[in-house]
Amino acid sequence: MAGTLYLCATPIGNLEDMTFRAVRVLQEVDVIAAEDTRNSIKLLNHFDIHTPMTSYHEYNKYEKGRKLVERLLSGEDVALITDAGTPGISDPGEELVRMCHEAGICVTAVPGAAACITALTISGLPTRRFAFEAFLPTEKKEREQVLSALGQEQRTIVLYEAPHRLVKTLALLAECLGGDRRVSVCRELTKRHESVYSSTLSETAAHYESSPPKGECVLVIEGMSREEILAKEREQWEHMTVEEHMELYLSQGMDRKEAMKKTASDRGVPKREIYRYLEEKKKQE
């Protein structure tokens, strides 16, 4: 019978956030796959865990993943941990989980800390709907594509960033999303010097330009406001003819009556004016 892969969340700063279940599972499994064994040994020693470790990280995830799957198929239980937080969330783990599912191996989670959720909940920005993007791509073209998509995002946006890149990233976001967009920068989460700085993107970039940050940062950015959405829509149709405006809504599946009503509403005129205009055009044709 195959073993089980346990995805064990570990503290993102404060060791008191380690769960009783995580300690027990790490003590009981046959092997712990750790992102960095040199870092993880400190955590294991703190909780008196003496289970053997093996490295599993971004650069060996395919080769080591196959070996871990073999051990799991032979009946061993494996726990996967990262340097901090939940495996698979902007950390190694996704590929191993996929391989286990393909091999019919049971995968379960031992929940705990995740920096993205921790920051979202204390940011003061809407939490009902959000988009998590982790770190922005380093390659320029790919980064521009992501930023372009984020510029249309209506949900709250959560990003990770290193302190030495924070100011540059905030300035880039201000340029792409608008300097007045609100952001909360959450630093050193759960640690002694945890802080949340909330303001606009432009003002926050200026703040950290004069006070360089320390510690890993999570950026929580508000999505497009209703006013921005309406402005974008207005920008889209204000150079259209009435016929093109109608066609925009007809192509979205609206019936003619509904499209006429929406076109009139956009243009701030009574629906009968749109109707009259279209009837006149039809007669002229």
Side-chain angles (χ1 to χ4, degrees), residues 131-150:
F132 175 58
E133 280 291 337
F135 290 92
L136 289 175
T138 54
E139 199 273 318
K140 184 179 178 181
K141 186 175 181 181
E142 187 182 356
R143 185 172 63 247
E144 287 174 350
Q145 290 173 342
V146 170
L147 287 168
S148 176
L150 291 180

Side-chain angles (χ1 to χ4, degrees), residues 22-37:
V23 172
R24 177 182 59 78
V25 168
L26 292 175
Q27 288 172 335
E28 293 177 353
V29 293
D30 297 287
V31 65
I32 297 170
E35 183 180 5
D36 186 335
T37 55

Side-chain angles (χ1 to χ4, degrees), residues 146-182:
V146 170
L147 287 168
S148 176
L150 291 180
Q152 310 300 316
E153 183 58 68
Q154 298 177 32
R155 297 169 294 178
T156 301
I157 302 161
V158 184
L159 300 173
Y160 289 163
E161 192 49 279
H164 65 279
R165 290 196 301 262
L166 180 64
V167 172
K168 184 178 180 180
T169 296
L170 286 168
L172 190 59
L173 289 166
E175 181 184 332
C176 297
L177 308 185
D180 291 335
R181 190 77 69 90
R182 294 199 64 80

Side-chain angles (χ1 to χ4, degrees), residues 1-284:
M1 183 177 176
T4 297
L5 174 66
Y6 293 89
L7 305 179
C8 288
T10 54
I12 57 177
N14 193 321
L15 291 180
E16 291 179 5
D17 292 335
M18 188 75 165
T19 68
F20 292 117
R21 184 181 172 212
V23 172
R24 177 182 59 78
V25 168
L26 292 175
Q27 288 172 335
E28 293 177 353
V29 293
D30 297 287
V31 65
I32 297 170
E35 183 180 5
D36 186 335
T37 55
R38 296 165 300 179
N39 182 68
S40 295
I41 192 65
K42 301 170 190 173
L43 176 76
L44 300 189
N45 287 341
H46 182 84
F47 290 102
D48 199 27
I49 298 169
H50 304 288
T51 306
M53 276 195 296
T54 186
S55 65
Y56 176 83
H57 48 72
E58 185 65 26
Y59 304 104
N60 71 355
K61 62 184 180 182
Y62 297 109
E63 177 189 356
K64 183 55 69 71
R66 286 190 290 271
K67 292 179 179 177
L68 289 171
V69 167
E70 289 173 7
R71 296 184 69 162
L72 285 155
L73 288 172
S74 73
E76 292 188 18
D77 290 326
V78 175
L80 177 65
I81 61 175
T82 67
D83 287 345
T86 300
I89 304 297
S90 194
D91 276 312
E94 180 182 333
E95 190 65 30
L96 180 58
V97 171
R98 183 190 64 77
M99 293 168 75
C100 285
H101 280 299
E102 290 177 352
I105 294 165
C106 177
V107 180
T108 190
V110 182
C116 55
I117 299 299
T118 303
L120 179 66
T121 56
I122 65 174
S123 68
L125 292 170
T127 60
R128 189 175 70 86
R129 301 171 65 239
F130 66 94
F132 175 58
E133 280 291 337
F135 290 92
L136 289 175
T138 54
E139 199 273 318
K140 184 179 178 181
K141 186 175 181 181
E142 187 182 356
R143 185 172 63 247
E144 287 174 350
Q145 290 173 342
V146 170
L147 287 168
S148 176
L150 291 180
Q152 310 300 316
E153 183 58 68
Q154 298 177 32
R155 297 169 294 178
T156 301
I157 302 161
V158 184
L159 300 173
Y160 289 163
E161 192 49 279
H164 65 279
R165 290 196 301 262
L166 180 64
V167 172
K168 184 178 180 180
T169 296
L170 286 168
L172 190 59
L173 289 166
E175 181 184 332
C176 297
L177 308 185
D180 291 335
R181 190 77 69 90
R182 294 199 64 80
V183 61
S184 289
V185 176
C186 306
R187 294 189 313 106
E188 295 285 82
L189 289 169
T190 78
K191 299 176 185 176
R192 180 177 299 174
H193 299 294
E194 174 182 290
S195 70
V196 179
Y197 185 90
S198 299
S199 188
T200 63
L201 282 167
S202 292
E203 199 283 326
T204 303
H207 169 77
Y208 285 114
E209 178 81 53
S210 60
S211 303
K214 294 180 181 179
E216 296 300 311
C217 304
V218 184
L219 282 63
V220 185
I221 309 156
E222 72 175 339
M224 285 181 72
S225 65
R226 179 65 182 158
E227 291 73 21
E228 285 181 289
I229 295 167
L230 291 173
K232 287 276 187 183
E233 289 177 353
R234 188 160 51 250
E235 190 178 296
Q236 181 182 24
W237 59 254
E238 65 184 359
H239 300 299
M240 291 180 178
T241 64
V242 172
E243 295 91 331
E244 290 169 337
H245 200 161
M246 281 283 293
E247 185 55 40
L248 172 68
Y249 291 123
L250 291 170
S251 67
Q252 294 174 9
M254 293 185 187
D255 60 33
R256 186 172 176 78
K257 186 177 179 181
E258 193 179 9
M260 201 178 297
K261 183 179 179 181
K262 189 76 171 70
T263 300
S265 174
D266 286 347
R267 290 174 176 262
V269 299
K271 187 175 75 172
R272 64 177 176 274
E273 285 194 23
I274 302 297
Y275 176 77
R276 262 196 226 110
Y277 173 84
L278 294 172
E279 286 299 303
E280 285 296 322
K281 290 291 288 186
K282 192 188 294 184
K283 287 176 185 176
Q284 291 172 14

